[in-house]
């Protein structure tokens, strides 16, 4: 396991995003997300030979899948310090052989400047959180990090803002004398989506703590993302037209 920092003197102040969510994510959402990750990417990740690139690794669900289901090296890219702390804690409990195959990059992919390190790249629960300008930097960075003929699998963001607020109540989880709970709300804000996460901790009938974190999201259709990726040498893979994934292959580098 390696944490790579290139050119230390030029590194920006680390992102504090997800500082609240990182505490609650694993206890409230990780089990469901682990099942979703296996369903969406299990077959694809298992085919990796050169390496797996996990873009926006979070607390490590795709990274863990890649380490257990493939023999390839893994590059976990996670710029948010709070999420990366959980990721590294999880990796620290792995056997030495698995830890030796994963490198953690503590900044965005374009800053990591990886070249031909993977034949499979996964962008899970990430693209919707990136404005168009950030996506413009992401696509060529993925193209550089993939080997020719490599594949990219992107969980599609919402295609458009919701007509009305969407609310999802997270299942309560008991930890000793405390119960952890949460609620996710998505609402339209012009052409963007405002995502709000509310969390709480209860002891019996008393609310001991409450926290809220908000995020902006940018909708994008499948066709728009295909159009953005095309100038960077990517073409759609057949068989995913009805999937919640966008699957593309790197035909050539521009």
């Amino acid at each position: 396991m390696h944490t790579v920092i290139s050119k230390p003197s030029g590194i920006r102040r680390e992102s504090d995003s997800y500082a609240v969510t990182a505490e609650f994510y694993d206890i409230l959402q990780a089990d469901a997300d682990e099942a979703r990750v296996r369903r969406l990417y299990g077959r694809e990740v298992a085919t990796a030979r050169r390496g797996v690139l996990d873009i926006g690794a979070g607390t490590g669900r795709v990274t863990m899948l890649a380490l257990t289901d493939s023999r390839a090296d893994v590059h976990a890219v996670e710029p948010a310090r709070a999420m990366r702390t959980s990721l590294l804690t999880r990796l620290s409990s792995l056997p030495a052989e698995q830890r030796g195959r994963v490198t953690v990059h503590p900044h965005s992919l374009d800053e990591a400047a990886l070249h031909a390190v993977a034949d499979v790249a996964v962008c899970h629960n990430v693209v919707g959180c990136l404005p168009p300008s950030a996506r413009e930097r992401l696509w060529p960075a993925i193209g550089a990090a993939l080997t020719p003929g490599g594949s990219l699998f992107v969980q599609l963001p919402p295609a458009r803002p919701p007509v009305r607020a969407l609310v999802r109540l997270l299942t309560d989880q008991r930890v000793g004398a405390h119960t952890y709970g949460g609620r996710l709300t998505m609402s339209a804000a012009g052409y963007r989506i405002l995502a709000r996460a509310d969390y709480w901790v209860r002891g019996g009938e008393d609310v001991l703590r409450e926290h809220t974190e908000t995020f902006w999201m940018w909708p994008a259709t499948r066709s728009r993302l295909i159009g953005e990726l095309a100038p960077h040498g990517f073409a759609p893979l057949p068989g995913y037209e009805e999937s919640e994934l966008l699957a593309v292959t790197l035909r050539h580098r521009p």
Side-chain angles (χ1 to χ4, degrees):
M1 177 175 64
H2 316 279
T3 300
V4 175
I5 300 178
S6 46
K7 300 181 181 178
S9 61
I11 286 186
R12 305 179 304 186
R13 180 178 179 271
E14 286 193 282
S15 169
D16 290 329
S17 58
Y18 306 102
V20 172
T21 295
E23 177 185 356
F24 293 89
Y25 177 79
D26 276 355
I27 188 64
L28 292 176
Q29 300 185 67
D31 286 348
D33 201 33
E34 181 177 8
R36 184 183 306 113
V37 161
R38 180 165 291 280
R39 173 176 60 82
L40 291 176
Y41 313 107
R43 181 182 60 183
E44 288 76 7
V45 163
T47 67
R49 296 294 178 266
R50 170 68 172 173
V52 176
L53 176 64
D54 183 6
I55 305 158
T59 65
R61 293 301 162 182
V62 173
T63 291
M64 296 297 289
L65 175 70
L67 288 172
T68 57
D69 285 26
S70 82
R71 304 296 300 172
D73 289 340
V74 180
H75 290 266
V77 177
E78 182 47 67
R81 183 174 185 175
M83 286 293 194
R84 196 171 64 250
T85 299
S86 295
L87 167 64
L88 287 165
T89 299
R90 177 166 286 116
L91 294 178
S92 70
S93 67
L94 295 178
E97 183 278 329
Q98 289 183 329
R99 289 202 313 272
R101 289 194 286 118
V102 58
T103 301
V104 179
H105 301 272
H107 30 229
S108 62
L109 183 60
D110 57 301
E111 294 173 308
L114 300 177
H115 181 73
V117 298
D119 53 343
V120 173
V122 174
C123 212
H124 177 67
N125 198 26
V126 170
V127 168
C129 300
L130 299 178
S133 59
R135 297 200 306 262
E136 289 175 3
R137 296 191 298 273
L138 177 63
W139 305 139
I142 296 175
L146 280 175
T147 57
S151 301
L152 166 65
F153 302 94
V154 177
Q155 186 183 24
L156 289 167
R160 59 192 60 84
V163 175
R164 57 184 178 277
L166 304 176
V167 180
R168 179 163 68 95
L169 192 64
L170 303 175
T171 303
D172 285 353
Q173 300 293 334
R174 184 76 175 270
V175 181
H178 296 162
T179 300
Y180 290 71
R183 178 179 58 246
L184 305 178
T185 305
M186 295 173 58
S187 55
Y191 64 91
R192 296 184 295 180
I193 297 171
L194 181 62
R196 171 176 170 143
D198 295 295
Y199 304 105
W200 51 82
V201 182
R202 292 191 175 98
E205 298 300 319
D206 299 324
V207 177
L208 305 177
R209 291 193 286 136
E210 291 183 300
H211 303 277
T212 295
E213 196 164 36
T214 58
F215 314 92
W216 287 112
M217 296 181 67
W218 285 261
T221 63
R222 181 190 298 271
S223 60
R224 175 169 181 169
L225 295 180
I226 290 174
E228 290 179 1
L229 283 157
H232 303 288
F234 289 95
L237 284 168
Y240 291 86
E241 294 80 5
E242 303 302 320
S243 168
E244 59 193 280
L245 293 181
L246 171 62
V248 294
T249 185
L250 182 64
R251 294 281 176 83
H252 61 87
R253 292 195 177 96

